[in-house]
Amino acid sequence: MNNLACHHQQVSWPAAQQALRDIRTRVFMDEQHVSAQDEWDGLDETAVHFLTHLDDGQAIATARVLVETDTQGRPLYHIGRVAVLKAYRGQGVGRTLMVYVMNWCLHQSPDARLYLHAQTARVAFYQHLGFVPQGTEFMDAGIPHITMWYGRVHQEPLP
């Protein structure tokens, strides 16, 4: 795996919407055949977004975080919509983006709990980052997924 020189940053939905939509459309809708209804779930306006650029400014990857609270009122960060353009996969972009996003979450709240719904084909990628699968496989947008928690198995039901 190479480590491509790229820059990650938190962005606002209004300012970066075009780049975020372009990457997610290409990865999820064009490649994985996710429907527009499933992809554009109405949560982007309130989510925290991250964008990865090359030195020349080209946007190549994205992720979003939904800030939630658990049943005890503690912060819960749901990482999702992690997408890297095909030409840049296998070069460390997804890994460094995820580390950036995870660090952002933990900076917001050091004892924050992080989770995601991983496509089952990507479980090993997230395990290398410290996520642990929990529960059973489920279908989302026609693709098998499993819930994964950062660092430990979570015993409480999701809010």
Side-chain angles (χ1 to χ4, degrees):
M1 164 179 36
N2 302 338
N3 274 327
L4 188 67
C6 54
H7 311 281
H8 313 291
Q9 67 181 81
Q10 179 185 349
V11 295
S12 72
W13 178 252
Q17 182 177 166
Q18 187 60 47
L20 297 166
R21 281 183 171 273
D22 179 58
I23 293 166
R24 287 169 48 188
T25 295
R26 290 167 66 183
V27 172
F28 297 125
M29 297 171 69
D30 296 346
E31 289 181 38
Q32 299 180 3
H33 309 292
V34 171
S35 72
Q37 181 179 351
D38 284 330
E39 183 55 32
W40 311 117
D41 59 6
L43 300 175
D44 287 310
E45 291 77 14
T46 58
V48 178
H49 294 273
F50 300 87
L51 198 55
T52 301
H53 290 94
L54 297 176
D55 285 340
D56 66 5
Q58 180 185 356
I60 62 167
T62 185
R64 80 174 184 190
V65 173
L66 302 175
V67 180
E68 304 168 350
T69 53
D70 69 11
T71 54
Q72 281 76 43
R74 297 174 297 203
L76 194 59
Y77 295 93
H78 180 175
I79 301 170
R81 300 306 199 266
V82 179
V84 177
L85 293 179
K86 192 173 190 173
Y88 301 98
R89 293 182 199 145
Q91 301 178 61
V93 175
R95 181 182 52 76
T96 60
L97 173 59
M98 277 297 299
V99 168
Y100 185 89
V101 171
M102 293 162 62
N103 285 336
W104 180 89
C105 294
L106 295 171
H107 180 75
Q108 304 307 303
S109 177
D111 40 332
R113 296 175 349 175
L114 317 178
Y115 78 100
L116 49 84
H117 294 148
Q119 293 181 5
T120 55
R122 309 288 183 263
V123 166
F125 169 78
Y126 293 112
Q127 283 177 316
H128 283 31
L129 291 164
F131 285 85
V132 178
Q134 179 196 342
T136 58
E137 187 177 294
F138 61 92
M139 296 299 284
D140 185 14
I143 301 168
H145 284 72
I146 192 162
T147 300
M148 299 184 78
W149 288 88
Y150 179 62
R152 61 194 169 281
V153 175
H154 179 69
Q155 299 302 324
E156 300 171 30
L158 291 176

